[in-house]
Amino acid sequence: MTESAAHFLTVLICTYNNADSLLITLSQLAAQQYDTKFLVEFLVVDNNSTDHTAAELSVFCRNNSQFTYIFEEKQGLSHARNTGVAKAQGRYVLFTDDDAELPPDWVRAYMETILLHRPVCCYSKISVLWQKSKPWWYCTAFRPHFVELDYGQILLNINDIDHEFFGKNFCVLRKEIIDQGGFDPRLGRIGTRLVAGEETVIYRRMIAQGKKLIYFPGAQVGHRLKDKEYTLSHI
């Protein structure tokens, strides 16, 4: 591995009213194992939460110096992400969510893939952690609604619009996000209102411009479901 000592990677996690799950994910981020000669920072953007997120985050970041707490008052995931990207020091920004289950080699797997292939964007698998029985109505057609992603066991160079990534597990050059004008605030989750498409826009623009995108299977994360996600009304 050859890279300057400048910040190599920013891990960015945006959160809204999910403090207990967030703390699980943060503890897994704090336990990441990677080559420490590469500078990694962890930014946590609180998108105007009204639960105990602020109190928990303040204590956690005080006890973990690599983590920075950022508050974004404008409601909406795209606003939170844009704020995080603006403050990021890393050449690449690695995104995940406050309900992600992260293995200890997650950051390292991304580092190794980036250094070997130099993509503009790379992303990996997402599996659902079924902590209750699957609902009777569940079928594979609902996989995108559960943020499941699996394009197989081999690395793929992506040049079509049929292999989209999801926000729980993807990494992009910071400059690419800035050059595209960031995430569209009209799209993305806004409070409890579920709106999608902010990642799709960036993905499809990169495909149209012939940028180098890679899917690789070696950095799989899990998705911890909320109780409401087991209900048909959620779908």
Side-chain angles (χ1 to χ4, degrees):
M1 296 181 178
T2 57
E3 196 78 25
S4 72
H7 272 89
F8 179 70
L9 190 69
T10 296
V11 178
L12 177 59
I13 180 168
C14 301
T15 187
Y16 174 72
N17 281 0
N18 200 21
D20 294 338
S21 178
L22 171 66
L23 286 176
I24 297 172
T25 302
L26 291 181
S27 67
Q28 293 168 350
L29 284 174
Q32 291 293 303
Q33 300 169 5
Y34 55 87
D35 190 338
T36 54
K37 75 179 180 182
F38 299 101
L39 296 182
V40 178
E41 64 172 356
F42 300 88
L43 304 184
V44 190
V45 182
D46 174 5
N47 192 199
N48 204 22
S49 297
T50 56
D51 65 354
H52 52 294
T53 293
E56 297 287 2
L57 261 180
S58 296
V59 172
F60 184 90
C61 292
R62 190 161 58 242
N63 294 331
N64 295 272
S65 60
Q66 281 182 285
F67 288 75
T68 301
Y69 173 29
I70 301 167
F71 183 80
E72 173 50 62
E73 184 177 11
K74 291 181 183 176
Q75 204 72 66
L77 178 57
S78 289
H79 284 304
R81 283 179 171 170
N82 289 338
T83 295
V85 169
K87 294 182 179 296
Q89 299 183 66
R91 184 165 176 252
Y92 283 85
V93 181
L94 174 55
F95 294 84
T96 192
D97 292 336
D98 59 16
D99 55 6
E101 190 80 12
L102 306 173
D105 62 347
W106 181 64
V107 167
R108 183 173 64 206
Y110 269 98
M111 283 183 165
E112 291 175 350
T113 298
I114 289 168
L115 291 168
L116 183 60
H117 299 281
R118 305 289 175 167
V120 171
C121 173
C122 54
Y123 49 100
S124 193
K125 291 184 176 186
I126 306 169
S127 61
V128 171
L129 302 178
W130 295 102
Q131 296 169 309
K132 299 180 180 180
S133 298
K134 289 184 182 180
W136 64 266
W137 43 261
Y138 177 82
C139 63
T140 55
F142 287 140
R143 290 181 69 194
H145 300 287
F146 286 84
V147 199
E148 291 185 74
L149 187 150
D150 187 347
Y151 299 137
Q153 286 298 110
I154 62 173
L155 183 145
L156 302 174
N157 288 289
I158 306 299
N159 54 21
D160 60 67
I161 62 171
D162 299 319
H163 291 83
E164 186 175 352
F165 52 78
F166 294 142
K168 203 174 302 297
N169 197 13
F170 77 104
C171 186
V172 188
L173 272 171
R174 179 175 180 269
K175 183 178 184 299
E176 177 68 22
I177 302 172
I178 293 171
D179 288 349
Q180 287 205 28
F183 294 92
D184 189 338
R186 297 169 297 178
L187 303 173
R189 181 190 295 263
I190 301 173
T192 58
R193 184 163 66 93
L194 301 179
V195 185
E198 79 283 9
E199 297 140 15
T200 303
V201 171
I202 286 179
Y203 164 68
R204 292 198 175 195
R205 283 177 180 163
M206 288 190 290
I207 292 294
Q209 295 166 5
K211 301 295 175 68
K212 186 173 184 178
L213 279 72
I214 286 176
Y215 161 83
F216 68 108
Q220 178 171 318
V221 307
H223 176 198
R224 292 190 301 273
L225 298 180
K226 303 177 182 69
D227 287 343
K228 66 182 179 181
E229 291 176 284
Y230 287 88
T231 64
L232 187 56
S233 60
H234 180 73
I235 299 299

